[in-house]
Amino acid sequence: MLFVLAVTCGVAVGNIYFPQALVPLIAAGLRTSSDGAALAVSATQIGYAGGIFLLVPLGDRLPHRRLLLILLGLTGFGLLLAGCARNLPLLVAGSVLVGLTTVGAQVIGPLAAGLVEDQRRAAVLGTLLSGSVGGMILARAFSGTLGEWLGWRVPYLAAAVLVFVLLAVLARLLPYTYPQSREHYPSLLAESLRLLFTEPELRRSCLYQAAVFAGFSAVWTTLAILLTGPVYGLGTSAVGLFALVGGVTACCTPLAGGWVDRRGPGPVNLVCMCGVLLSAAVLAGGTQGHRSGLIALIIGTLLLDVAMQCGMVANQARVYALRPERRSRLNTAYMTCAYLGGSAGSWIGSHVYDLFGWSGVCGFVVVLTTPVLLRHLLTTPARKRDRDRSSAVGNSGACRPPQ
């Protein structure tokens, strides 16, 4: 069952990313601009952010099995609608529905955590995360190739078939669970918003991830346009090959998790933000074309993928340490902000590319990352002084002789 749940996480996350490689094919198939075709990518990410905020909190209120099966059924319908769309508005509508309901990975996490013993929980959640990363990589890798061979509609229809197959399998495998909360739905939503306003460390993680994920989405949304354009003249299958580079990320995130356990999330955030800035500098070399440009794009996308995913490990560790009894709602607030940043990055990035080209997209990544890096550098010393002061007070009390 763990394998099936990990595959389900991969498919759910893959539904967000596979349209990125199809932007040029959608533009040609629907006779629209690349900017208009990129709207389908943004619509999926906006829908996903909405689904995290509106639907994931229901995991505390409804049985996980019922909620997950309903979401999968709606996702399959949305993929069919998008794959059969005859115009851009219908494609955008289907994309919004797909994004809104393909939040299964966020429902499966709490479900799996409640089904295993405490000493196995981290290992199980790590396996599910590997499934999500693998789904993201494979979706981008094969959607471009499949779309180039058979048309942009086929990846949507193939994803729909896969979702319905998983729906049938999970209907037989998933156990019945009982709700953990009897709070009304408006109270669940209000709690996520309240936590966002009352927890400074939650806001900190949201800001870091939203900024980095916006740059990440801008790069991957416009990379397909660059590779298939006049500079390189490649097919959309090349975008899929670039996605395979991100397989290294699946090996790096466990190492980042161990580093967070030993040193805390702050140092990992610092290294990851510097990695994002370095990736932008390397990616800028992609404007020169030829073999050297391709090498720059490969190294740059690898750096960006590793930095974004490892930064997510650090940010989630900071969030989950705040209030263990409210982790689902904390995760709802965090992931909503992250994917709102990603959807904004896709939309703005496509406009920046139309105006300034690939160099403008790389500059956009720098503009997003530099302020949060400066904020991190300015706030970390103050936090360290506060911890040292607290430790000093505690130690002075501990060293007093007994009365």
Side-chain angles (χ1 to χ4, degrees):
M1 186 172 66
L2 178 59
F3 172 76
V4 175
L5 291 177
V7 171
T8 306
C9 287
V11 171
V13 173
N15 288 333
I16 310 166
Y17 291 99
F18 81 77
Q20 290 178 337
L22 301 176
V23 171
L25 298 177
I26 293 173
L30 295 181
R31 298 179 182 178
T32 185
S33 64
S34 59
D35 187 25
L39 187 59
V41 178
S42 299
T44 305
Q45 293 176 338
I46 291 172
Y48 191 72
I52 291 173
F53 179 72
L54 296 173
L55 301 179
V56 171
L58 289 174
D60 290 336
R61 185 70 178 82
L62 299 176
H64 290 115
R65 182 181 187 276
R66 183 196 308 171
L67 178 60
L68 184 57
L69 295 180
I70 291 173
L71 290 176
L72 285 173
L74 292 174
T75 300
F77 176 76
L79 289 166
L80 288 176
L81 177 62
C84 297
R86 295 297 178 184
N87 52 56
L88 186 60
L90 278 178
L91 175 60
V92 171
S95 299
V96 171
L97 180 58
V98 170
L100 187 69
T101 57
T102 191
V103 292
Q106 308 303 325
V107 176
I108 288 173
L111 166 64
L115 294 177
V116 298
E117 310 86 32
D118 291 345
Q119 60 269 26
R120 291 189 59 229
R121 186 166 297 153
V124 168
L125 294 178
T127 301
L128 297 178
L129 179 59
S130 297
S132 297
V133 173
M136 177 182 70
I137 294 168
L138 293 176
R140 288 194 307 219
F142 291 106
S143 64
T145 302
L146 194 60
E148 189 172 11
W149 288 351
L150 303 174
W152 69 267
R153 301 180 187 276
V154 174
Y156 281 96
L157 300 178
V161 171
L162 187 55
V163 165
F164 285 127
V165 169
L166 285 172
L167 175 63
V169 173
L170 289 172
R172 296 181 59 87
L173 286 182
L174 281 180
Y176 288 91
T177 58
Y178 297 95
Q180 300 298 313
S181 172
R182 296 187 178 276
E183 290 187 51
H184 295 297
Y185 178 64
S187 299
L188 294 175
L189 297 184
E191 177 72 4
S192 297
L193 287 173
R194 190 185 68 79
L195 289 169
L196 190 60
F197 283 102
T198 59
E199 296 290 343
E201 292 296 275
L202 173 61
R203 293 197 300 272
R204 183 186 185 192
S205 289
C206 290
L207 174 64
Y208 290 178
Q209 193 62 33
V212 172
F213 194 40
F216 173 88
S217 299
V219 167
W220 276 103
T221 300
T222 56
L223 180 64
I225 305 173
L226 173 68
L227 291 176
T228 58
V231 177
Y232 291 99
L234 301 175
T236 53
S237 58
V239 184
L241 294 177
F242 268 83
L244 292 177
V245 174
V248 178
T249 306
C251 302
C252 294
T253 48
L255 299 177
W259 191 12
V260 171
D261 287 337
R262 293 190 300 270
R263 302 290 302 276
V268 179
N269 278 136
L270 177 61
V271 172
C272 291
M273 290 177 195
C274 292
V276 172
L277 291 177
L278 178 60
S279 73
V282 175
L283 285 168
T287 57
Q288 57 190 320
H290 307 296
R291 180 179 298 178
S292 58
L294 283 174
I295 293 174
L297 291 177
I298 291 171
I299 297 174
T301 52
L302 173 60
L303 284 172
L304 183 61
D305 274 23
V306 171
M308 194 278 289
Q309 295 289 353
C310 292
M312 179 172 283
V313 173
N315 291 325
Q316 284 188 315
R318 182 185 294 111
V319 169
Y320 287 160
L322 297 176
R323 298 192 184 187
E325 73 280 3
R326 290 180 171 85
R327 280 177 180 159
S328 292
R329 279 158 276 188
L330 286 166
N331 190 50
T332 294
Y334 167 72
M335 295 300 293
T336 300
C337 292
Y339 275 92
L340 282 175
S343 59
S346 294
W347 184 74
I348 297 173
S350 61
H351 284 280
V352 170
Y353 186 88
D354 284 342
L355 293 173
F356 305 106
W358 182 249
S359 298
V361 175
C362 297
F364 178 56
V365 175
V366 174
V367 169
L368 287 169
T369 309
T370 302
V372 294
L373 175 60
L374 293 176
R375 181 193 184 280
H376 182 70
L377 292 173
L378 292 174
T379 57
T380 298
R383 294 176 190 278
K384 186 177 186 299
R385 287 196 299 270
D386 290 341
R387 289 196 300 269
D388 292 342
R389 190 179 299 115
S390 299
S391 300
V393 171
N395 291 335
S396 64
C399 294
R400 292 171 184 166
Q403 300 296 323

